[in-house]
Amino acid sequence: MGRFVTELRSQIWHVAHGRSIDVGQKSLIMAVVNVTPDSFSDGGHYEAVEVAVAHALACVEEGAGIIDIGGESTKPGAAAVSASEEQGRVLPVIEALRGRTDALISVDTYRAATARLAIGAGAHIVNDVFGLQREPDLADVAAQTGAGLCIMHTGRDRQKLPDVIDDQIFFLNRSLEIAAAAGVDRQNIVLDPGFGFAKENAEENLELMARFNALLRLDLPLLVGTSRKRFIGTITGRDAPDRDVGTAATNAILRLQGAAIFRVHNVAINRDALAVADAILRTRARLKA
């Protein structure tokens, strides 16, 4: 069973365009902006560029430090889109946001070509839900551009190990080998355990939460994306748009176990929950001193 962490330590995350950010001392919120018609929670809400940009800027006002822009739904069974269609969705939003906010811009893609174009358009971070294992060339793009890289664990399209943490370590170490071979600096990497991605039931996701701080052994900042996921609905009985309170609860718990970055749909409610978790961590550190 995981234990709560008792210290706050600085971890500097280097990203593209000469930017960096401390992801250890205070919770960092990554706001979801899906410019897709079919994402599981907000599909179709922000397809128009001006609507997506307005929503992104509102998220920054509410406390988001990163805007994560996605052009292809990753929900189970979603229809694939072409690289050109994905790029046509995300690049105009990135270009419109550049210069209008100091928040970091992330592109949610596993495609090397989309990542390169997005960074050229102004993105700082690439968020790969296949952890470099679908298009390993994405690691070369990250190395060449200095982009921040979110490497996510997934169980899709492969046989998982029986133990949830063993499988995390096995998969993520393989991804880190790909990154290292391409020359990606470890200071540019954060890891995501991929809640809901081929974690087939609530119990598997809950075990991952309960044992979460075992992932600290990888010695990299940890990003989590529980927002409105199905396992929260199983626990609460609520549909996706009504899972924000449950999401905030999971994020507070994960913050106390060492998570640093939180990918969410509702910034305000998670900002408040994480402010409480941060206050507890500061108190624990003071009592330990």
Side-chain angles (χ1 to χ4, degrees), residues 5-236:
V5 298
T6 57
E7 62 180 356
L8 292 167
R9 57 178 184 146
S10 292
Q11 289 182 290
I12 304 302
W13 187 20
H14 294 272
V15 301
H17 310 300
R19 297 282 300 274
S20 61
I21 189 168
D22 189 330
V23 296
Q25 294 293 309
K26 182 181 178 182
S27 299
L28 178 61
I29 292 177
M30 172 187 275
V32 179
V33 179
N34 286 320
V35 284
T36 58
D38 57 345
S39 290
F40 81 98
S41 175
D42 57 357
H45 291 184
Y46 310 114
E47 285 186 272
V49 172
E50 62 274 15
V51 176
V53 169
H55 176 61
L57 295 174
C59 288
V60 174
E61 285 295 313
E62 290 181 337
I66 306 172
I67 302 299
D68 190 42
I69 301 166
E72 180 176 353
S73 175
T74 55
K75 71 181 180 182
V81 302
S82 67
S84 60
E85 186 172 2
E86 178 190 43
Q87 293 157 16
R89 291 172 178 177
V90 301
L91 294 178
V93 179
I94 294 169
E95 291 166 352
L97 280 172
R98 183 177 59 187
R100 296 187 63 182
T101 177
D102 288 332
L104 299 176
I105 301 170
S106 169
V107 61
D108 184 352
T109 186
Y110 57 84
R111 292 185 174 95
T114 300
R116 188 179 295 280
L117 290 170
I119 295 162
H124 305 91
I125 297 161
V126 181
N127 182 13
D128 181 4
V129 298
F130 286 98
L132 306 179
Q133 296 190 40
R134 182 156 174 176
E135 287 201 18
D137 288 350
L138 196 151
D140 296 311
V141 174
Q144 293 160 10
T145 61
L149 185 59
C150 302
I151 293 175
M152 198 194 80
H153 172 281
T154 183
R156 292 181 181 176
D157 303 323
R158 66 183 183 86
Q159 184 67 43
K160 294 187 297 182
L161 299 177
D163 181 83
V164 65
I165 298 299
D166 288 349
D167 194 68
Q168 288 278 328
I169 301 299
F170 171 80
F171 182 92
L172 293 172
N173 274 334
R174 174 61 186 138
S175 295
L176 290 171
E177 289 170 0
I178 294 169
V184 179
D185 194 308
R186 280 181 69 90
Q187 287 189 304
N188 289 64
I189 298 172
V190 302
L191 302 177
D192 179 349
F195 283 97
F197 279 77
K199 284 74 173 174
E200 303 299 344
N201 50 49
E203 288 73 21
E204 187 173 354
N205 287 279
L206 288 170
E207 181 176 349
L208 180 55
M209 280 188 64
R211 299 173 61 194
F212 179 82
N213 70 0
L215 301 179
L216 296 175
R217 74 181 72 163
L218 293 166
D219 198 32
L220 286 166
L222 297 173
L223 180 153
V224 293
T226 62
S227 190
R228 299 180 179 175
K229 292 288 175 69
R230 184 181 302 172
F231 80 95
I232 295 175
T234 300
I235 296 166
T236 63

